[in-house]
Amino acid sequence: MQDFRVWIAALLLCVLCGGDAYGHTRSQSFSTWTLDGATAQFTFQVDRYRITQLSPAYPDERELTSLLKRHLRDTIIAQQDRAPCTVTIQTVRDVSSSNVSAYGDIQCPVLFKQSAATVSVGAFHDVSPTHMHIASIRNGAASGEAILRSGQTRIRLSENPSPVAIPEFIAIGFWHVLSGPDHLFFLAALMLAAQSRRALILCVTAFTLGHTLTLGLAYAGVLHPNTQLIEAMIGFTILAAALDAGAKHGLPKQIAYPLTAAATTLIALSTGNMQIIVCVLFLALFLVAWSKSGPSLFNTLTPIIALAFGLAHGAGFAGGLMELELTGGGILAPLFGFNLGVELGQFAFASTLAIVNIGLIKHLPNSAWKIHASLGACLFAAGFYWFTERLIS
């Protein structure tokens, strides 16, 4: 009974303190630059939430479009051979319920084929040190990309734009994982649920194979996942893995699993979306069947479940890669680099957790079990919250 009280308390706390339910919402913006002679026309796009972060710096601006326009005027600076280029922000308008775009141009003294121009894009880096900007540069048939971060905010406009190198894709994949709390929470739940070191290795390997497969298929355009359903599925993988961890620490499977299955089914029915309802009904039946499995079957099938969950996470990873709208270098180079970065990010996080856990068991052996159980409850609460919000939002 005490276990249930901890889990319910964690769920209520998560609901009360919850904010944005999308674990992939990172501080990032995008721009496209089209070169024509000595002029470069550009489009700058960012989500509405990022623009609200600018309000303290411009207290007299009330509309988001005016706020973005003023900020871009202050933070986009261009020069060519040390001579300033003229930057003009022409219009700013809403392009969707979540994104705002600005349109403008840069006029330089001489043609880009005679001399390259350097553009500093410092937008949002002051309000978000981890902000990432992705610029796509086009000059006729030639194209390239640039990834801007704090301390590296310049792009080069030239006759022959350069594509992003593999190390950049590795860095994007690495930070994509570490900036996505839902993926990190799933890994933490998986580590808690593993019955042994061998089981953990099998689960992580299966998870890697799963997300690598769907990452490749989605990025190649073979798979077209439902974004809302995928995001909700990622939340479900967290709550299911946390349930596994809870069972390991004494949570009664025969009660907790069916209750969770019933709750997820009711939430799915409230959406009225048949695709979501069918998918969640299947997941609910899985939970009920999973609750009746014995310890040996439970341990044997866990890596297979990790593989299936990896398929959902891979589609989520693909969203971060497809947002780049890459134009050069084909598919294999960005896919390899991004996936390698994802693996390195997962390894760094899992290694850190393992070191913390070793220290916990060594120095607080009597409290380690309670801390593990409480962490499992918090992970379940976060997964349930994400699953619910992503279905009904």
Side-chain angles (χ1 to χ4, degrees):
M1 194 65 180
Q2 185 177 0
D3 288 329
F4 274 119
R5 287 200 296 266
V6 172
W7 285 57
I8 292 173
L11 180 57
L12 290 175
L13 182 63
C14 193
V15 170
L16 291 174
C17 299
D20 186 0
Y22 285 82
H24 292 94
T25 303
R26 297 168 304 282
S27 181
Q28 59 186 20
S29 53
F30 307 88
S31 64
T32 301
W33 305 75
T34 304
L35 278 56
D36 182 13
T39 302
Q41 295 182 329
F42 67 87
T43 301
F44 186 102
Q45 184 168 303
V46 66
D47 66 87
R48 298 172 66 87
Y49 173 72
R50 299 301 154 202
I51 304 176
T52 62
Q53 294 180 305
L54 302 174
S55 297
Y58 306 94
D60 56 324
E61 297 288 355
R62 297 185 179 274
E63 295 186 0
L64 294 185
T65 53
S66 301
L67 194 59
L68 178 60
K69 187 173 186 178
R70 185 169 171 183
H71 183 61
L72 293 182
R73 283 175 176 170
D74 292 344
T75 55
I76 296 181
I77 302 171
Q79 62 178 8
Q80 187 181 53
D81 292 332
R82 298 186 179 181
C85 300
T86 302
V87 180
T88 304
I89 310 297
Q90 298 170 345
T91 59
V92 180
R93 63 172 182 263
D94 295 337
V95 293
S96 70
S97 59
S98 58
N99 292 323
V100 177
S101 283
Y103 304 86
D105 60 61
I106 292 177
Q107 182 66 48
C108 292
V110 300
L111 302 177
F112 292 118
K113 67 178 181 180
Q114 295 178 305
S115 178
T118 300
V119 182
S120 175
V121 183
F124 298 96
H125 290 288
D126 287 341
V127 295
S128 179
T130 60
H131 185 79
M132 180 173 68
H133 180 79
I134 300 151
S136 178
I137 306 161
R138 300 186 176 96
N139 183 26
S143 60
E145 296 83 25
I147 311 297
L148 309 184
R149 300 184 186 84
S150 180
Q152 183 184 343
T153 60
R154 295 182 179 181
I155 60 176
R156 188 172 181 269
L157 303 182
S158 66
E159 187 178 18
N160 297 305
S162 301
V164 177
I166 287 182
E168 285 287 351
F169 290 113
I170 294 174
I172 293 170
F174 182 85
W175 291 112
H176 180 82
V177 170
L178 296 186
S179 63
D182 47 6
H183 294 300
L184 300 182
F185 282 18
F186 175 75
L187 285 174
L190 201 61
M191 294 180 70
L192 280 176
Q195 300 291 323
S196 64
R197 186 178 301 176
R198 177 178 178 275
L200 176 60
I201 293 173
L202 286 175
C203 287
V204 172
T205 302
F207 175 69
T208 299
L209 291 175
H211 77 64
T212 299
L213 176 62
T214 48
L215 170 60
L217 291 176
Y219 182 63
V222 177
L223 184 66
H224 301 280
N226 180 315
T227 303
Q228 181 187 12
L229 190 55
I230 287 298
E231 291 283 352
M233 276 290 295
I234 291 173
F236 182 88
T237 64
I238 298 169
L239 73 85
L243 281 174
D244 276 6
K248 177 183 175 182
H249 292 87
L251 188 72
K253 293 168 52 179
Q254 290 76 9
I255 299 176
Y257 282 54
L259 280 178
T260 304
T264 54
T265 300
L266 289 174
I267 292 165
L269 290 173
S270 70
T271 67
N273 185 315
M274 283 307 299
Q275 184 182 9
I276 290 175
I277 292 171
V278 171
C279 181
V280 174
L281 281 175
F282 174 80
L283 295 174
L285 290 174
F286 155 74
L287 283 180
V288 173
W290 198 237
S291 69
K292 300 183 182 301
S293 63
S296 59
L297 181 63
F298 186 80
N299 295 335
T300 302
L301 292 182
T302 299
I304 299 176
I305 302 303
L307 172 65
F309 288 173
L311 299 176
H313 284 254
F317 287 140
L321 188 56
M322 289 188 291
E323 282 174 344
L324 304 186
E325 298 182 353
L326 301 173
T327 54
I331 290 176
L332 292 181
L335 189 60
F336 170 78
F338 185 83
N339 199 53
L340 179 57
V342 166
E343 300 310 322
L344 291 174
Q346 290 181 164
F347 178 77
F349 179 72
S351 300
T352 301
L353 277 188
I355 292 171
V356 171
N357 189 50
I358 291 171
L360 178 65
I361 294 174
K362 180 178 180 180
H363 297 289
L364 296 171
N366 297 326
S367 303
W369 184 87
K370 293 181 180 179
I371 293 174
H372 288 167
S374 299
L375 178 58
C378 292
L379 292 172
F380 171 82
F384 191 89
Y385 173 73
W386 275 325
F387 172 76
T388 302
E389 285 297 306
R390 293 172 183 184
L391 279 187
I392 64 179
S393 62

